Amino acid sequence: MTKVLRSVVTGVGGYLPDEVVTNADLAKFVDTSDEWIIERTGIRQRHRAAPDQAVSDLAVEAARRALVAAGKTAADVDLIVVGTTTPDLTFPAVATIVQRKLGCPIGVAFDVQAVCSGFVYALSAADGFVARGRSKCALVIGAETMTRLMDWTDRGTCVLFGDGAGAVVVEPMEGEGTTADRGLLGFALRADGTKQDLLYVDGGVSTNGQIGHLRMQGNQVFRHAVVNISEAVFAAAADAGIEVSDVDWFIPHQANQRILEGVAKRVGISHDKVISTVAEHANTSAASIPLALAKGVEDGRIKPGQMLLLEAMGGGLTWGACVIRL
Ligand code: UT7
């Protein structure tokens, strides 16, 4: 059989800033309660970056851990793709700042802006380089400081988000072209710009020149999430040539416990195959999937060779899913 080049995840790392903000902390200044937040979302706490920590600092920590796990150094990295919606600066890209801070050699570095779907989109972008032999060692990072976009008087959004970063190292390896191969086996990416008003930030460089605040019609986003994500999950499985029942671990975007359970139920994945970090991390946007992946790998649940299914949905609307054999 003809050999094919696969993009293989060889190292995973996550980083959460030190400060933990509990639901009770938020209830001191916004009209909410621990009970409401847990019942409607599953969130118990979130991490918040220190005032002097930029998103690139979180990304660098996660990247360092992923490189160690892969047995690589910064000198090996020739491609950096960062999924983020909360960059240090309007430009340059966070990816080039990470490149400088890590001390990587001249290579390719750019950001992907697909909000909460950023990590799945970034993986697909990196696959376009790695699986064509154009990168020997890629860092794919999801990193966010979502707390910087919050309107702290809006209880419908400010309780939902947290900060953090997750990273993977992706390297090319020859496969047999079967579903037994390690690597990124299938994708389904989607966007529907007509739904912009459901989830957006009310500021930007070329409109009002402000950073702005996150605005969301939560129940409308919720309504779209389960149906849209489920369709993408089946499409990614078909793209990979697997059945959803072949999946060992389901690693969803961690927006809301009710959404990820709803998707798992709709696509027929049992409760014990779901990695959930919603309670401890809240919604870290593009960082949530690689952070959940890192947690599952670190605690020994996720093992090399297993089949993983990732999914996300966020502002745009954008959404998507990805099948990986680790
Ligand atoms: O990652 C990007 C994708 N984002 C998401 O996936 C988020 C999707 N949406 C959600 O997770 C849920 O819609 C929320 C958690 C945001 C809200 O849950 P819900 O069950 O859809 O509640 P709701 O928005 O319909 O609001 C129900 C009630 C409202 O009060 P009234 O109008 O019924 O009196 C809200 O004002 O809950 C109220 N409420 C709160 N109460 C206490 C909203 N936020 C809070 C709060 N504490 N933090």
Side-chain angles (χ1 to χ4, degrees), residues 224-241:
H224 285 284
V226 176
V227 175
N228 287 347
I229 294 169
S230 300
E231 183 279 329
V233 162
F234 285 121
D239 189 50

Side-chain angles (χ1 to χ4, degrees), residues 55-80:
V55 81
S56 64
D57 297 316
L58 314 188
V60 161
E61 290 303 324
R64 284 205 175 107
R65 293 171 191 190
L67 286 169
V68 169
K72 294 283 170 187
T73 70
D76 298 312
V77 175
D78 57 14
L79 169 68
I80 303 174

Side-chain angles (χ1 to χ4, degrees), residues 2-325:
T2 325
K3 300 275 187 189
V4 297
L5 208 51
R6 297 288 198 184
S7 307
V8 177
V9 173
T10 57
V12 178
Y15 172 78
L16 290 160
D18 291 340
E19 189 193 356
V20 171
V21 180
T22 65
N23 294 344
D25 293 332
L26 296 178
K28 286 176 195 153
F29 62 88
V30 66
D31 182 15
T32 189
S33 66
D34 187 42
E35 295 72 32
W36 190 94
I37 300 171
I38 292 174
E39 189 197 313
R40 299 296 181 108
T41 72
I43 298 166
R44 291 176 182 274
Q45 62 172 51
R46 71 285 295 140
H47 290 249
R48 182 160 56 194
D52 63 349
Q53 276 184 312
V55 81
S56 64
D57 297 316
L58 314 188
V60 161
E61 290 303 324
R64 284 205 175 107
R65 293 171 191 190
L67 286 169
V68 169
K72 294 283 170 187
T73 70
D76 298 312
V77 175
D78 57 14
L79 169 68
I80 303 174
V81 188
V82 178
T84 190
T85 193
T86 50
D88 297 28
L89 302 168
T90 301
F91 77 79
V94 176
T96 58
I97 301 173
V98 169
Q99 181 197 39
R100 169 174 59 79
K101 288 183 175 173
L102 282 175
C104 301
I106 289 174
V108 179
F110 62 94
D111 291 355
V112 168
Q113 219 285 34
V115 201
C116 299
S117 313
F119 185 72
V120 176
Y121 269 65
L123 272 181
S124 175
D127 185 41
F129 288 80
V130 178
R132 298 180 76 190
R134 291 176 176 165
S135 166
K136 295 273 177 285
C137 182
L139 266 174
V140 183
I141 303 170
E144 300 279 19
T145 47
M146 292 303 284
T147 62
R148 308 260 163 91
L149 286 179
M150 293 301 112
D151 171 353
W152 295 104
T153 65
D154 177 11
R155 66 179 182 173
T157 54
C158 75
V159 304
L160 303 174
F161 293 89
D163 303 335
V168 297
V169 174
V170 181
E171 296 176 66
M173 278 182 203
E174 269 193 355
E176 303 296 327
T178 72
T179 58
D181 291 350
R182 292 181 67 196
L184 308 179
L185 300 182
F187 284 95
L189 303 182
R190 309 273 187 261
D192 177 0
T194 67
K195 306 286 188 306
Q196 173 182 327
D197 290 351
L198 302 187
L199 177 52
Y200 65 101
V201 168
D202 61 2
V205 180
S206 66
T207 50
N208 58 6
Q210 305 291 310
I211 294 171
H213 293 116
L214 183 143
R215 304 294 175 202
M216 178 165 70
Q217 296 177 39
N219 47 14
Q220 292 296 315
V221 176
F222 194 113
R223 206 166 58 77
H224 285 284
V226 176
V227 175
N228 287 347
I229 294 169
S230 300
E231 183 279 329
V233 162
F234 285 121
D239 189 50
I242 67 158
E243 300 294 332
V244 172
S245 55
D246 297 329
V247 169
D248 294 300
W249 291 106
F250 179 51
I251 308 168
H253 170 50
Q254 310 284 324
N256 184 319
Q257 186 67 22
R258 287 155 59 210
I259 295 177
L260 62 91
E261 281 173 5
V263 173
K265 191 171 172 205
R266 199 175 170 107
V267 303
I269 291 177
S270 65
H271 190 70
D272 55 345
K273 290 184 174 179
V274 181
I275 305 282
S276 175
T277 56
V278 180
E280 303 87 35
H281 301 176
N283 182 347
T284 57
S285 184
S288 92
I289 291 175
L291 271 169
L293 173 61
K295 178 135 193 289
V297 169
E298 278 159 22
D299 67 23
R301 278 177 294 172
I302 301 176
K303 297 180 180 65
Q306 288 185 323
M307 195 73 89
L308 314 180
L309 177 63
L310 283 42
E311 57 83 343
M313 175 168 159
L317 296 177
T318 60
W319 65 100
C322 169
V323 173
I324 304 175
R325 188 181 287 284

